[in-house]
Amino acid sequence: MRTSSEEKYLEEIYKAVNQRGYARVSDVAQSLDVSVSSVSKMVRKLAGYQLVEHERYQYIKMTEKGILVGKQLVLKHQILATFFQMIGLEKEEVEEEVNKIEHYISWSTIGKIHDFILRNE
């Protein structure tokens, strides 16, 4: 992924596909609190990276590559949530804090946090 914004959109599409079996532009827009046109523009960009496929007025489909990246993004989210729980954040705070930083933190740092979690479980 190239930007934190692209990660946010792809993660939301991935979660929708896993929950409902499909993702719609309007649903992604609602869950991210952005306009439908913003989602459409980003979906075209993600399609250019061969992460999703989409035709106008149709569901958003994820490619194999998109599914792999989506899984990695969910894993990043889970690692951060586990870490924040370990250091004593309240349940409500965990999601809020994870959502603030998950798309800005490097994979290298996530790896170190994951190693820390494994050593301290």
Side-chain angles (χ1 to χ4, degrees):
M1 297 298 307
R2 291 172 169 45
T3 69
S4 59
S5 183
E6 291 166 355
E7 283 190 5
K8 287 177 190 177
Y9 281 83
L10 187 65
E11 183 180 10
E12 197 59 41
I13 292 166
Y14 176 81
K15 288 190 295 190
V17 168
N18 275 342
Q19 290 172 352
R20 296 187 294 267
Y22 62 89
R24 292 187 300 208
V25 169
S26 58
D27 294 335
V28 174
Q30 183 178 6
S31 63
L32 292 175
D33 195 27
V34 297
S35 70
V36 169
S37 63
S38 293
V39 176
S40 294
K41 182 178 177 182
M42 183 59 76
V43 167
R44 285 192 297 276
K45 196 172 192 181
L46 294 173
Y49 299 144
Q50 298 163 347
L51 298 169
V52 300
E53 296 173 350
H54 181 256
E55 291 184 32
R56 195 173 172 133
Y57 305 115
Q58 301 294 320
Y59 294 132
I60 303 167
K61 299 175 187 170
M62 298 199 74
T63 63
E64 286 185 35
K65 180 180 176 183
I67 291 168
L68 177 63
V69 174
K71 285 180 183 178
Q72 291 171 335
L73 295 172
V74 168
L75 178 61
K76 182 192 274 191
H77 185 103
Q78 292 168 340
I79 290 169
L80 287 170
T82 300
F83 176 70
F84 286 146
Q85 289 168 354
M86 287 176 75
I87 63 171
L89 266 64
E90 296 295 324
K91 190 174 185 176
E92 311 81 47
E93 293 175 297
V94 168
E95 279 303 305
E96 184 179 326
E97 293 300 317
V98 169
N99 289 334
K100 285 180 185 176
I101 70 163
E102 70 181 319
H103 300 293
Y104 299 96
I105 193 167
S106 72
W107 283 103
S108 163
T109 302
I110 289 295
K112 291 181 186 317
I113 291 170
H114 188 248
D115 291 344
F116 174 84
I117 291 167
L118 294 176
R119 285 192 311 272
N120 292 284
E121 283 188 316

